[in-house]
Amino acid sequence: MLKATITVIGGGTGTSVVLSGLKQTRKCKLNAIVVVSDSGGSTGRLRDEFGFLPVGDLRQCLVALADGEFQEEVRDVLLYRFNKGNGLTGHNLGNLILTALEDLHQTPGKAIETAGRIFRIDGNVYPITERNVNLVIEYKNGLVKIGESNLDDPNLGGQKITAIKLSPRASLYKKAAKAIHEADLIVLGPGDLYGSLLPNTLVRGFKSTLRQSKARFIYIVNLMTHYSQTHGMSASDHIREVTRYCGRKPDSVIINTKPIPSAVLTHYASQKEFPV
């Protein structure tokens, strides 16, 4: 029996969790299409120094799809973070390996494919574009910020985001386009709406490819709002933004309806974040 092809689009922890869950079924072929506008942490430092694509979100998807006899060891290697060493403190070993592969291959897509073969992942991981881009964020009060890391600035908390753009303009990676075109199911999210999900839609060719796809399109809504991104936004607000940026309304939406433990709610409330 032919396996269904599922293409998961996003970035960060949310996408890797979805991939980890789907992988357990063994009944589907998995593709991950990953945002490349990250500019913070170890990824941001390597990006600034080498000028390559940010690799942190790509690494997390490789970890999620690691398979075979040594998958736990692969996870340990890719997730290892240095806590000492001049220039190494804070860096993630997986990020360094992917940066080295980008330097060897000169094309980000080929570097990620090579990593997939080395670590024997069960699926494919593709960048949304091979162009090195920055996220441009526009706020209702007229403020404009450049760099994805600004989305986590608590000083901007509560400010309504009116638009995001990429600079410079970029085109959809051909193999990512193929993964969308050939999918039976496309899953967007969960993840930071303006940081991990919607930036994928900004590359040229994404909207038209998604609209032409015959795959069922599913959007997974986050459990909680994000103070510096989606403060006060309802589930319907999230869906409207997804529809606006994707150029296509989700066929299905997954949203939590179960009670959230009070300890978790208290923790998030301390950061001005609340259930969607």
Side-chain angles (χ1 to χ4, degrees), residues 10 12 36 47 61 65 77 101 113 124 133 135 139 175-176 221 261:
V36 292
R47 179 179 181 175
C61 290
L65 293 175
V77 167
L101 288 173
E113 287 183 47
N124 300 296
V133 294
L135 190 66
Y139 295 87
K175 291 191 176 182
V221 182

Side-chain angles (χ1 to χ4, degrees), residues 184-230:
D184 298 300
L185 187 70
I186 295 170
V187 180
L188 179 71
D192 284 346
L193 185 64
Y194 295 106
S196 296
L197 306 187
L198 298 185
N200 288 290
T201 72
L202 301 175
V203 299
R204 285 177 293 187
F206 178 88
K207 285 185 180 181
S208 59
T209 304
L210 182 62
R211 282 196 296 263
Q212 291 164 12
S213 172
K214 296 179 181 179
R216 189 169 186 82
F217 176 36
I218 294 179
Y219 168 48
I220 304 176
V221 182
N222 281 1
L223 287 174
M224 313 295 286
T225 57
H226 192 313
Y227 181 54
S228 55
Q229 290 190 45
T230 56

Side-chain angles (χ1 to χ4, degrees), residues 88-240:
L88 284 175
T89 301
H91 272 309
N92 180 283
L93 179 56
N95 289 352
L96 294 174
I97 292 171
L98 292 178
T99 299
L101 288 173
E102 281 198 54
D103 194 27
L104 286 169
H105 291 290
Q106 298 301 308
T107 63
K110 190 169 183 180
I112 300 304
E113 287 183 47
T114 300
R117 290 194 298 272
I118 291 171
F119 296 115
R120 299 184 180 182
I121 67 168
D122 185 16
N124 300 296
V125 178
Y126 303 120
I128 187 68
T129 182
E130 289 195 293
R131 190 97 188 254
N132 199 340
V133 294
N134 276 302
L135 190 66
V136 180
I137 310 140
E138 299 178 2
Y139 295 87
K140 188 176 182 178
N141 65 359
L143 184 68
V144 176
K145 289 285 188 177
I146 299 176
E148 181 269 347
S149 59
N150 287 291
L151 289 171
D152 291 322
D153 185 350
N155 295 318
L156 298 173
Q159 294 288 345
K160 181 174 176 55
I161 296 171
T162 56
I164 55 172
K165 301 174 183 177
L166 292 181
S167 178
R169 297 181 68 185
S171 296
L172 181 62
Y173 180 45
K174 287 183 179 180
K175 291 191 176 182
K178 188 170 183 286
I180 294 171
H181 179 72
E182 294 181 349
D184 298 300
L185 187 70
I186 295 170
V187 180
L188 179 71
D192 284 346
L193 185 64
Y194 295 106
S196 296
L197 306 187
L198 298 185
N200 288 290
T201 72
L202 301 175
V203 299
R204 285 177 293 187
F206 178 88
K207 285 185 180 181
S208 59
T209 304
L210 182 62
R211 282 196 296 263
Q212 291 164 12
S213 172
K214 296 179 181 179
R216 189 169 186 82
F217 176 36
I218 294 179
Y219 168 48
I220 304 176
V221 182
N222 281 1
L223 287 174
M224 313 295 286
T225 57
H226 192 313
Y227 181 54
S228 55
Q229 290 190 45
T230 56
H231 183 65
M233 287 179 63
S234 65
S236 58
D237 292 331
H238 282 73
I239 295 165
R240 274 193 290 271

